[in-house]
Amino acid sequence: MTPFDTSLVPNGDILIGGEWRQGRAAPFASLYPADQSLNMEVSTASAEDAAEAVEKAHAAWKQGEWATMKPHLRALVLYRIADLIMQRHEALAQLQRRDNGKPIKETRVLVASAANTFRYFAACLETMDEEVTPSRGDYLTMSVYEPIGVIAAITPWNSPIASDAQKLAPALAAGNAVVLKPAEVTPLVSLALARICEEAGVPKGIVSVLPGKGSVIGDVLVRHPLVRKVSFTGGTEVGRGIARIAADKLMPVSLELGGKSPTMVFEDADIDHAVNGVLYGIFSSSGEACIAGSRLFVQRSIYDTFMKRLVEGARKLRVGDPSSENTQMGPLITAKHRESVERYVAIGLEEGGRLLCGGERPVGDQREHGFFYQPTILEGLKNSARICQEEIFGPVLVAMPFDDEAALIEEANDSVFGLAAGIWTRDYKRAWRVARKLEAGTVWINTYKLFSISTPFSGWKESGMGREKGRLGIREYMQQKSLYWGLNDAPLPWANA
Ligand code: NAD
């Protein structure tokens, strides 16, 4: 029996210019990371397919039905997408679980968040005002917003349905065509989402989905002259390469990149909440989260007691079968990625780190068939150590004591990344002071990893550029145009001179 509802992704076909068909590159065997069983063979796109998808997306967009549809009617299509996602909520959550191995409880939340993202941007679209700007003469001035054209949306494997929705919803709301390139290893949910878009009434050709190799298809998309904007979520090095190409094309680009986020626990913090929050911040999603709180700073006066409780908590985390309601941590995405996490732990130990827990694969049960790795905590390293500076993207936490606030802020900011941070303290004045000094796009205070579609998200420094989410998220996919309406009956004075 197939492990999920295959009607969501019939034949593993991909979507190119409104046509579901096989791609021209070699098919990809999608594996379940929990036991390496075959999900299905999925067709993948070639470079020629990618170019064809862009050209057909451009033709569909130029035809104008979607771009010029009245905003309240386009919003209706987005509301229908949200409804269809919720009608297939459980099936999509199971598909996402098979695709990337996240625990089912987490994938259910991600699917619901994708539906909410479409609803939110539908509401933004319906209620978005354009501006009449203050006139400085006998003319009326207006600022209006128009779609850009063909958008390439490139997404990573860690939360596919949520990342896809965060790009598709505002880009479609704004009246663009989208060529979506999911991560090579997680194509399933993106294909299912595209079928839903079609069924909801998005015109043919406005959405294409191209599973396959990023270095081939992604590259074709970024360089293609008819792609007018790239919205990318992924690693910093790939993002930097895209930005270089975009600079040559003078093309706008949004980049949501990597992180190495600091969490700091002050001696006056609510310790129960802080222990739970730190564990959740790093080990949920097996640490495969851009915003994972992977550097921990604990005030020295409570360091030993806090670390004892943290390690006890980490040892109790339930690592296992993603289909179980009880599981807190699933497997890592691939064998290769687990090896990279293992290499980083070895580097940490070579640099003088001490292992407090984890640092190994679970052994002796069925988890040996999957890519599991135990929650891992190290101490005894300086913030300058490689494993404190480089993104590991796995369940690995490095803990360090701190003495005073000023030095803490220096160390927390001593990173090329600036994605997120967490502060645990009961002193609201200190929380304010520290939060305002942190170089990060998001700061959580006495909480961690909470997300709201109505609040903008962005990375500072090498964690990215551009914004996603929030009311103005839709404007990232529009271009602004100024209109001047002459109101003077007399000709322009220069002509009369
Ligand atoms: P990745 O950069 O390897 O791949 C991301 C996407 O880019 C994939 O679809 C991939 O196929 C494609 N790609 C690869 N090479 C390309 C190229 N040369 N041109 C165009 N596209 C190309 O990242 P990943 O391993 O899939 O995801 C993990 C990374 O994503 C981590 O660094 C993580 O921090 C980051 N991430 C960031 C956020 C955020 O919002 N800031 C969210 C999730 C993940």
Side-chain angles (χ1 to χ4, degrees), residues 45 50 151-157 164 167-168 178-187 190 208-219 221-222 231-233:
I151 309 288
I154 304 179
T155 54
W157 45 260
D164 291 356
K167 299 192 186 308
L168 270 174
V178 183
V179 180
L180 172 64
K181 153 76 190 81
E184 191 175 345
V185 290
T186 53
S190 310
S208 290
V209 182
L210 304 176
K213 281 213 177 311
S215 53
V216 178
I217 312 165
D219 194 59
L221 294 181
V222 176
S231 177
F232 171 81
T233 299

Side-chain angles (χ1 to χ4, degrees), residues 157-158 260 286-291 332 337 341 391-395:
W157 45 260
N158 59 323
K260 193 76 198 177
S286 304
E288 294 172 327
C290 52
I291 45 166
L332 299 183
H337 184 55
V341 171
E391 185 182 43
I392 300 176
F393 217 61

